[in-house]
Amino acid sequence: MTGRDMLVVNDLHKIYDDGTHAVKGLSFTLKQGEIYGLIGPNGAGKSTTLRMIATLIKPTRGSIYLNGVDVVKEPLKARKMIGYLPEEAEVYPRLTGREHLLFYARLYGIENIEETVEYGAEISGLGDKLDKKAGEYSKGMKRRLLLALVLMRSPQLAILDEPTSGLDVYASVRVRRIIKEYVSKTGHSVILSSHNMLEVEYLCDRVSFIINGKIITTGSPSELKARYNALNLEEAFVKAVEEHG
């Protein structure tokens, strides 16, 4: 990590029309070249926070700056630096994997399409399977293709919501390897949400535990384990939840 703050979130709130206060004053920074995890139970405000950073929904109040760009006031400018993978993302079953890469490269308005598609193919690791229709893919193969679509244009910030949700161990390992190698090669940053504590412990440089829309503690996985006298991050998380329950 270079130490430069590339994402700055300050006093972020989201109150929905039905009165639900989903996010309650979140503040954190993400450094260049860092993988940062937002961890919490269902309904804690993780996905809402990621969607606000991705410019998909507007915060009720608070600020988000990405490389000095006000994400709320200049969403189009911010989107050029962002890649977003939602948990519920799907593929087009009638298109091949390679056709997906080509379609999205054109959609992004990328000049060097051929080079971008080949980079996407490399990221996916699907090889000859890229020429098969995506409807025939396993869930793990679909997730690797979707991740490649997000990363192939080398976004400065990749936002990944439950990147290995529903995958088996082998597929999860492949996806985690893709994320780790992407950050290592590009020096760009990733913010992710995951329920898989092993995944978080392996991937993340820093982690924040979020409960009821608030961050209760932040640190590296080793710092959090020491702070809660825990053998692993899962145990540290359970102790943190109990302490702030």
Side-chain angles (χ1 to χ4, degrees), residues 86-87 139-147 161-163:
E87 182 180 2
K139 190 166 184 179
M141 291 166 64
K142 289 177 182 178
R143 206 60 178 167
R144 282 157 59 190
L145 175 60
L146 289 164
L147 191 57
D161 196 353
E162 299 288 346

Side-chain angles (χ1 to χ4, degrees), residues 1 9 14 20 24 56 65 68 71 90 94 102 108 119 124 126 133 138 151 159 163 187 189 200 207 220 223-224:
M1 292 182 289
V9 175
K14 180 60 182 179
T20 301
K24 304 172 183 176
L56 298 180
Y65 285 89
V71 170
E90 255 301 345
R94 295 184 181 181
L102 183 61
Y108 291 145
Y119 180 47
S124 75
L126 291 171
K133 289 186 177 180
S138 67
L151 300 182
I159 303 170
S189 305
V200 172
V207 178
S220 69
E223 287 170 343
L224 292 171

Side-chain angles (χ1 to χ4, degrees), residues 20-232:
T20 301
H21 200 162
V23 176
K24 304 172 183 176
L26 259 61
S27 296
F28 62 90
T29 58
L30 173 63
K31 298 183 183 299
Q32 184 177 0
E34 182 178 31
I35 302 178
Y36 180 90
L38 275 179
I39 311 305
N42 290 333
K46 306 181 303 296
S47 292
T48 297
T49 299
L50 296 184
R51 289 182 185 128
M52 286 190 282
I53 296 170
T55 77
L56 298 180
I57 56 177
K58 286 188 175 182
T60 304
R61 66 176 184 269
S63 62
I64 307 167
Y65 285 89
L66 177 57
N67 281 331
V69 174
D70 188 324
V71 170
V72 179
K73 293 181 179 178
E74 298 183 273
L76 295 179
K77 192 172 181 180
R79 283 173 196 165
K80 293 178 180 179
M81 298 183 279
I82 292 171
Y84 174 56
L85 178 63
E87 182 180 2
E88 66 277 6
E90 255 301 345
V91 298
Y92 297 104
R94 295 184 181 181
L95 295 182
T96 67
R98 197 172 298 278
E99 286 170 342
H100 275 83
L101 296 171
L102 183 61
F103 173 71
Y104 276 87
R106 287 173 173 164
L107 190 66
Y108 291 145
I110 292 168
E111 292 182 8
N112 197 336
I113 289 179
E114 186 176 332
E115 184 179 317
T116 301
V117 168
E118 285 310 306
Y119 180 47
E122 178 188 338
I123 291 172
S124 75
L126 291 171
D128 294 341
K129 295 182 178 68
L130 281 170
D131 296 315
K132 291 187 176 182
K133 289 186 177 180
E136 301 173 17
Y137 287 3
S138 67
K139 190 166 184 179
M141 291 166 64
K142 289 177 182 178
R143 206 60 178 167
R144 282 157 59 190
L145 175 60
L146 289 164
L147 191 57
L149 295 174
V150 170
L151 300 182
M152 69 178 182
R153 65 187 183 104
S154 197
Q156 293 179 52
L157 176 63
I159 303 170
L160 311 177
D161 196 353
E162 299 288 346
T164 61
S165 176
L167 302 188
D168 61 31
V169 173
Y170 183 74
S172 296
V173 168
R174 293 291 298 268
V175 168
R176 288 199 292 266
R177 188 179 301 147
I178 290 170
I179 297 168
K180 200 87 169 178
E181 288 177 354
Y182 173 76
V183 172
S184 176
K185 287 180 180 179
T186 65
H188 295 329
S189 305
V190 170
I191 181 169
L192 63 85
S193 168
S194 175
H195 284 102
N196 187 326
M197 292 298 174
L198 176 65
E199 174 171 285
V200 172
E201 195 162 344
Y202 170 76
L203 276 177
C204 295
D205 300 297
R206 281 189 306 136
V207 178
S208 285
F209 292 162
I210 176 172
I211 299 174
N212 296 324
K214 297 179 180 180
I215 289 176
I216 60 170
T217 190
T218 299
S220 69
S222 59
E223 287 170 343
L224 292 171
K225 285 187 290 184
R227 191 172 300 162
Y228 290 97
N229 191 26
L231 295 175
N232 52 53

